[in-house]
């Protein structure tokens, strides 16, 4: 039997204005030799500027690199700037954080997650999603040593991103159903504690839907705390199982089909409606929750053709054949896919 360690962040800050204390937090964690800030064009202005001011105030040496996508090329560029005493700060959205996470993991240095949007659960999880020319793959990396999430910065990001984060969390409901199914039918290992934490994270959203509104700092804090606990469920399980099931396979299939996919969380939310129908669960409650946070529930709302939805449903089971879900080993037929999307009013 091999021992498996559970990686968790050592310190977590989810507070308004906390970004101004970045230098102080890095000093307290002894990450003050050299900082590499990984950010993007837009997130440089939104977050990295404040981080730089804080590091300068604390006399901490830093470098900055901007990345535009979560690709192997971006990771290689970042790795070139990492020395053994560098700590990597990912200041940005999901792509930036995935690049910071994987490049720091490859080079064996610490990584601090500083999200500027609350759009998906990769902010704290030990998994990274990397785009290759043909597909996007989920790879194991490491958890951040710290999470510094400024809820004022998060609240200022486009509400569409926050809504996508909510949809990604609502997807936990079907992810857990798929995991339980794989446990029963395939004897796949299952963690009660990870599953319970994942479901709690989803309920944090559905039970607080009336409080999730645009440009409100407390709304951003609720979503960020939920994403944090969802990421912890992934850490406990040692895989993305607690937060990624058939609804994510559908989203990944759409990514392959479309030239310009919608947001990850938006696609997963729509997938969750349909997969909950297949599970015989309350798919209308899922749809109502998504509508309540202004997340899309139809193909038209994300600008996707009906045929592409059907093709993604038919293809989804092939994305990760080792991950058993409600779609089974053989997937669903084109007719069944059409019926499913039509009945749930996705098309």
């Amino acid at each position: 039997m091999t021992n498996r360690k559970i990686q968790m962040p050592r310190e977590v800050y989810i507070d308004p204005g906390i970004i101004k204390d970045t230098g102080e937090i890095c000093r307290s964690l002894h990450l003050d030799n050299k900082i590499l800030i990984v950010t993007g064009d837009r997130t440089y202005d939104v977050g990295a500027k404040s981080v730089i001011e804080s590091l300068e105030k604390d006399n901490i040496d830093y470098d900055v690199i901007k990345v535009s996508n979560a690709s192997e090329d971006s990771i290689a560029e970042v790795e070139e700037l990492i020395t053994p005493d560098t700590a990597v700060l990912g200041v940005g959205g999901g792509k930036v954080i995935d690049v910071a996470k994987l490049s720091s993991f490859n080079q064996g240095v610490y990584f601090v997650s500083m999200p500027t949007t609350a759009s998906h659960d990769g902010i704290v999880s030990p998994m990274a999603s990397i785009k290759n020319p043909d597909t996007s793959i989920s790879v194991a990396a490491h958890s951040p040593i710290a999470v510094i999430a400024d809820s004022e910065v998060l609240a200022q990001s486009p509400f569409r991103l926050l809504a996508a984060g909510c949809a990604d969390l609502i997807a936990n409901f079907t992810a857990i159903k798929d995991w339980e199914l794989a446990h029963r039918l395939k004897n796949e290992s299952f963690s009660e504690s990870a599953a319970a934490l994942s479901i709690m994270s989803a309920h944090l959203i559905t039970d607080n839907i009336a409080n999730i509104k645009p440009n409100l700092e407390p709304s951003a804090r609720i979503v960020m705390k939920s994403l944090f606990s969802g990421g912890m469920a992934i850490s406990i399980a040692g895989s993305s199982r607690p937060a990624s099931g058939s609804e994510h396979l559908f989203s990944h299939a759409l990514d392959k089909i479309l030239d310009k996919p919608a947001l990850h969380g938006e696609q997963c939310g729509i997938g969750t409606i349909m997969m909950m129908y297949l599970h015989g669960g309350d798919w209308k409650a899922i749809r109502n929750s998504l509508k309540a946070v202004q997340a899309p529930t139809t193909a038209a709302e994300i600008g996707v053709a009906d045929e592409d939805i059907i093709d993604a449903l038919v293809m989804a089971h092939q994305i990760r054949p080792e991950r058993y879900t409600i779609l089974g080993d053989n997937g669903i037929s084109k007719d069944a896919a059409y019926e499913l999307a039509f009945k749930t009013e996705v098309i």
Side-chain angles (χ1 to χ4, degrees), residues 199-218:
I199 292 294
M200 185 204 80
S201 307
H203 274 299
L204 268 173
I205 298 301
T206 54
D207 295 350
N208 281 292
I209 268 178
N211 303 320
I212 297 170
K213 295 187 172 72
N215 306 318
L216 275 185
E217 182 274 327

PDB file of all heavy atoms in Angstrom, residues 199-218:
ATOM      1  N   ILE A 199     -20.095  18.589  -1.808  1.00  0.00           N
ATOM      2  CA  ILE A 199     -21.535  18.898  -1.789  1.00  0.00           C
ATOM      3  C   ILE A 199     -21.801  20.141  -0.935  1.00  0.00           C
ATOM      4  O   ILE A 199     -22.610  21.003  -1.297  1.00  0.00           O
ATOM      5  CB  ILE A 199     -22.349  17.684  -1.268  1.00  0.00           C
ATOM      6  CG1 ILE A 199     -22.289  16.538  -2.292  1.00  0.00           C
ATOM      7  CG2 ILE A 199     -23.795  18.061  -0.968  1.00  0.00           C
ATOM      8  CD1 ILE A 199     -22.971  16.816  -3.626  1.00  0.00           C
ATOM      9  N   MET A 200     -21.091  20.275   0.182  1.00  0.00           N
ATOM     10  CA  MET A 200     -21.244  21.459   1.027  1.00  0.00           C
ATOM     11  C   MET A 200     -20.872  22.731   0.245  1.00  0.00           C
ATOM     12  O   MET A 200     -21.547  23.753   0.346  1.00  0.00           O
ATOM     13  CB  MET A 200     -20.369  21.335   2.266  1.00  0.00           C
ATOM     14  CG  MET A 200     -20.553  22.463   3.260  1.00  0.00           C
ATOM     15  SD  MET A 200     -19.107  22.690   4.331  1.00  0.00           S
ATOM     16  CE  MET A 200     -18.014  23.615   3.260  1.00  0.00           C
ATOM     17  N   SER A 201     -19.815  22.634  -0.559  1.00  0.00           N
ATOM     18  CA  SER A 201     -19.373  23.783  -1.360  1.00  0.00           C
ATOM     19  C   SER A 201     -20.455  24.198  -2.357  1.00  0.00           C
ATOM     20  O   SER A 201     -20.687  25.390  -2.571  1.00  0.00           O
ATOM     21  CB  SER A 201     -18.088  23.438  -2.123  1.00  0.00           C
ATOM     22  OG  SER A 201     -17.109  22.957  -1.247  1.00  0.00           O
ATOM     23  N   ALA A 202     -21.103  23.204  -2.962  1.00  0.00           N
ATOM     24  CA  ALA A 202     -22.186  23.499  -3.911  1.00  0.00           C
ATOM     25  C   ALA A 202     -23.379  24.114  -3.188  1.00  0.00           C
ATOM     26  O   ALA A 202     -24.003  25.070  -3.678  1.00  0.00           O
ATOM     27  CB  ALA A 202     -22.600  22.219  -4.634  1.00  0.00           C
ATOM     28  N   HIS A 203     -23.685  23.582  -1.999  1.00  0.00           N
ATOM     29  CA  HIS A 203     -24.810  24.136  -1.215  1.00  0.00           C
ATOM     30  C   HIS A 203     -24.538  25.562  -0.736  1.00  0.00           C
ATOM     31  O   HIS A 203     -25.469  26.345  -0.574  1.00  0.00           O
ATOM     32  CB  HIS A 203     -25.122  23.233  -0.017  1.00  0.00           C
ATOM     33  CG  HIS A 203     -26.056  22.107  -0.360  1.00  0.00           C
ATOM     34  ND1 HIS A 203     -27.333  22.310  -0.834  1.00  0.00           N
ATOM     35  CD2 HIS A 203     -25.886  20.757  -0.306  1.00  0.00           C
ATOM     36  CE1 HIS A 203     -27.916  21.150  -1.065  1.00  0.00           C
ATOM     37  NE2 HIS A 203     -27.053  20.184  -0.760  1.00  0.00           N
ATOM     38  N   LEU A 204     -23.259  25.891  -0.510  1.00  0.00           N
ATOM     39  CA  LEU A 204     -22.922  27.266  -0.129  1.00  0.00           C
ATOM     40  C   LEU A 204     -23.420  28.246  -1.195  1.00  0.00           C
ATOM     41  O   LEU A 204     -23.784  29.377  -0.898  1.00  0.00           O
ATOM     42  CB  LEU A 204     -21.410  27.417   0.039  1.00  0.00           C
ATOM     43  CG  LEU A 204     -20.837  27.204   1.438  1.00  0.00           C
ATOM     44  CD1 LEU A 204     -19.311  27.220   1.392  1.00  0.00           C
ATOM     45  CD2 LEU A 204     -21.319  28.280   2.407  1.00  0.00           C
ATOM     46  N   ILE A 205     -23.410  27.796  -2.450  1.00  0.00           N
ATOM     47  CA  ILE A 205     -23.918  28.631  -3.547  1.00  0.00           C
ATOM     48  C   ILE A 205     -25.442  28.581  -3.603  1.00  0.00           C
ATOM     49  O   ILE A 205     -26.110  29.614  -3.548  1.00  0.00           O
ATOM     50  CB  ILE A 205     -23.314  28.177  -4.899  1.00  0.00           C
ATOM     51  CG1 ILE A 205     -21.792  28.339  -4.891  1.00  0.00           C
ATOM     52  CG2 ILE A 205     -23.933  28.976  -6.066  1.00  0.00           C
ATOM     53  CD1 ILE A 205     -21.272  29.737  -4.636  1.00  0.00           C
ATOM     54  N   THR A 206     -26.005  27.373  -3.692  1.00  0.00           N
ATOM     55  CA  THR A 206     -27.457  27.274  -3.885  1.00  0.00           C
ATOM     56  C   THR A 206     -28.237  27.824  -2.686  1.00  0.00           C
ATOM     57  O   THR A 206     -29.325  28.368  -2.851  1.00  0.00           O
ATOM     58  CB  THR A 206     -27.881  25.816  -4.186  1.00  0.00           C
ATOM     59  OG1 THR A 206     -27.393  24.956  -3.154  1.00  0.00           O
ATOM     60  CG2 THR A 206     -27.323  25.352  -5.520  1.00  0.00           C
ATOM     61  N   ASP A 207     -27.675  27.726  -1.489  1.00  0.00           N
ATOM     62  CA  ASP A 207     -28.373  28.247  -0.297  1.00  0.00           C
ATOM     63  C   ASP A 207     -28.213  29.762  -0.148  1.00  0.00           C
ATOM     64  O   ASP A 207     -28.926  30.382   0.642  1.00  0.00           O
ATOM     65  CB  ASP A 207     -27.842  27.572   0.986  1.00  0.00           C
ATOM     66  CG  ASP A 207     -28.151  26.080   1.027  1.00  0.00           C
ATOM     67  OD1 ASP A 207     -28.931  25.618   0.172  1.00  0.00           O
ATOM     68  OD2 ASP A 207     -27.590  25.379   1.875  1.00  0.00           O
ATOM     69  N   ASN A 208     -27.255  30.336  -0.881  1.00  0.00           N
ATOM     70  CA  ASN A 208     -27.003  31.781  -0.760  1.00  0.00           C
ATOM     71  C   ASN A 208     -27.293  32.547  -2.037  1.00  0.00           C
ATOM     72  O   ASN A 208     -26.840  33.685  -2.204  1.00  0.00           O
ATOM     73  CB  ASN A 208     -25.523  32.014  -0.383  1.00  0.00           C
ATOM     74  CG  ASN A 208     -25.275  31.781   1.093  1.00  0.00           C
ATOM     75  OD1 ASN A 208     -25.735  32.534   1.933  1.00  0.00           O
ATOM     76  ND2 ASN A 208     -24.552  30.721   1.399  1.00  0.00           N
ATOM     77  N   ILE A 209     -28.060  31.914  -2.932  1.00  0.00           N
ATOM     78  CA  ILE A 209     -28.240  32.508  -4.260  1.00  0.00           C
ATOM     79  C   ILE A 209     -28.791  33.934  -4.211  1.00  0.00           C
ATOM     80  O   ILE A 209     -28.366  34.800  -4.974  1.00  0.00           O
ATOM     81  CB  ILE A 209     -29.099  31.583  -5.143  1.00  0.00           C
ATOM     82  CG1 ILE A 209     -28.125  30.670  -5.893  1.00  0.00           C
ATOM     83  CG2 ILE A 209     -29.965  32.344  -6.115  1.00  0.00           C
ATOM     84  CD1 ILE A 209     -28.705  29.669  -6.773  1.00  0.00           C
ATOM     85  N   ALA A 210     -29.691  34.193  -3.276  1.00  0.00           N
ATOM     86  CA  ALA A 210     -30.288  35.536  -3.179  1.00  0.00           C
ATOM     87  C   ALA A 210     -29.238  36.593  -2.833  1.00  0.00           C
ATOM     88  O   ALA A 210     -29.434  37.786  -3.087  1.00  0.00           O
ATOM     89  CB  ALA A 210     -31.400  35.536  -2.128  1.00  0.00           C
ATOM     90  N   ASN A 211     -28.116  36.164  -2.253  1.00  0.00           N
ATOM     91  CA  ASN A 211     -27.073  37.116  -1.828  1.00  0.00           C
ATOM     92  C   ASN A 211     -25.955  37.301  -2.852  1.00  0.00           C
ATOM     93  O   ASN A 211     -25.028  38.067  -2.616  1.00  0.00           O
ATOM     94  CB  ASN A 211     -26.436  36.635  -0.513  1.00  0.00           C
ATOM     95  CG  ASN A 211     -27.463  36.461   0.583  1.00  0.00           C
ATOM     96  OD1 ASN A 211     -28.371  37.263   0.708  1.00  0.00           O
ATOM     97  ND2 ASN A 211     -27.338  35.401   1.362  1.00  0.00           N
ATOM     98  N   ILE A 212     -26.037  36.560  -3.969  1.00  0.00           N
ATOM     99  CA  ILE A 212     -24.955  36.655  -4.961  1.00  0.00           C
ATOM    100  C   ILE A 212     -25.365  37.630  -6.058  1.00  0.00           C
ATOM    101  O   ILE A 212     -26.210  37.323  -6.902  1.00  0.00           O
ATOM    102  CB  ILE A 212     -24.587  35.263  -5.515  1.00  0.00           C
ATOM    103  CG1 ILE A 212     -24.060  34.383  -4.370  1.00  0.00           C
ATOM    104  CG2 ILE A 212     -23.536  35.376  -6.620  1.00  0.00           C
ATOM    105  CD1 ILE A 212     -23.888  32.932  -4.716  1.00  0.00           C
ATOM    106  N   LYS A 213     -24.781  38.813  -5.995  1.00  0.00           N
ATOM    107  CA  LYS A 213     -25.150  39.895  -6.914  1.00  0.00           C
ATOM    108  C   LYS A 213     -23.885  40.577  -7.455  1.00  0.00           C
ATOM    109  O   LYS A 213     -22.821  40.495  -6.848  1.00  0.00           O
ATOM    110  CB  LYS A 213     -26.006  40.933  -6.180  1.00  0.00           C
ATOM    111  CG  LYS A 213     -27.366  40.406  -5.716  1.00  0.00           C
ATOM    112  CD  LYS A 213     -28.213  41.531  -5.152  1.00  0.00           C
ATOM    113  CE  LYS A 213     -29.638  41.066  -4.878  1.00  0.00           C
ATOM    114  NZ  LYS A 213     -29.740  40.172  -3.738  1.00  0.00           N
ATOM    115  N   PRO A 214     -24.020  41.284  -8.590  1.00  0.00           N
ATOM    116  CA  PRO A 214     -22.853  41.954  -9.179  1.00  0.00           C
ATOM    117  C   PRO A 214     -22.248  43.027  -8.267  1.00  0.00           C
ATOM    118  O   PRO A 214     -22.972  43.705  -7.524  1.00  0.00           O
ATOM    119  CB  PRO A 214     -23.427  42.609 -10.451  1.00  0.00           C
ATOM    120  CG  PRO A 214     -24.677  41.862 -10.754  1.00  0.00           C
ATOM    121  CD  PRO A 214     -25.217  41.415  -9.434  1.00  0.00           C
ATOM    122  N   ASN A 215     -20.923  43.140  -8.342  1.00  0.00           N
ATOM    123  CA  ASN A 215     -20.158  44.227  -7.700  1.00  0.00           C
ATOM    124  C   ASN A 215     -20.316  44.313  -6.180  1.00  0.00           C
ATOM    125  O   ASN A 215     -20.141  45.375  -5.595  1.00  0.00           O
ATOM    126  CB  ASN A 215     -20.518  45.590  -8.321  1.00  0.00           C
ATOM    127  CG  ASN A 215     -20.355  45.575  -9.831  1.00  0.00           C
ATOM    128  OD1 ASN A 215     -19.375  45.029 -10.332  1.00  0.00           O
ATOM    129  ND2 ASN A 215     -21.297  46.127 -10.550  1.00  0.00           N
ATOM    130  N   LEU A 216     -20.667  43.195  -5.561  1.00  0.00           N
ATOM    131  CA  LEU A 216     -20.813  43.183  -4.104  1.00  0.00           C
ATOM    132  C   LEU A 216     -19.682  42.358  -3.499  1.00  0.00           C
ATOM    133  O   LEU A 216     -19.536  41.171  -3.809  1.00  0.00           O
ATOM    134  CB  LEU A 216     -22.149  42.555  -3.699  1.00  0.00           C
ATOM    135  CG  LEU A 216     -23.394  43.443  -3.675  1.00  0.00           C
ATOM    136  CD1 LEU A 216     -24.561  42.639  -3.130  1.00  0.00           C
ATOM    137  CD2 LEU A 216     -23.193  44.682  -2.820  1.00  0.00           C
ATOM    138  N   GLU A 217     -18.898  42.977  -2.632  1.00  0.00           N
ATOM    139  CA  GLU A 217     -17.771  42.284  -2.016  1.00  0.00           C
ATOM    140  C   GLU A 217     -18.218  41.032  -1.247  1.00  0.00           C
ATOM    141  O   GLU A 217     -17.603  39.967  -1.385  1.00  0.00           O
ATOM    142  CB  GLU A 217     -16.997  43.268  -1.116  1.00  0.00           C
ATOM    143  CG  GLU A 217     -15.762  42.686  -0.455  1.00  0.00           C
ATOM    144  CD  GLU A 217     -16.066  41.986   0.860  1.00  0.00           C
ATOM    145  OE1 GLU A 217     -16.988  42.443   1.568  1.00  0.00           O
ATOM    146  OE2 GLU A 217     -15.401  40.983   1.164  1.00  0.00           O
ATOM    147  N   PRO A 218     -19.311  41.096  -0.445  1.00  0.00           N
ATOM    148  CA  PRO A 218     -19.727  39.872   0.275  1.00  0.00           C
ATOM    149  C   PRO A 218     -20.104  38.727  -0.677  1.00  0.00           C
ATOM    150  O   PRO A 218     -19.890  37.559  -0.354  1.00  0.00           O
ATOM    151  CB  PRO A 218     -20.952  40.334   1.081  1.00  0.00           C
ATOM    152  CG  PRO A 218     -20.789  41.820   1.211  1.00  0.00           C
ATOM    153  CD  PRO A 218     -20.141  42.257  -0.065  1.00  0.00           C
TER     154      PRO A 218
END
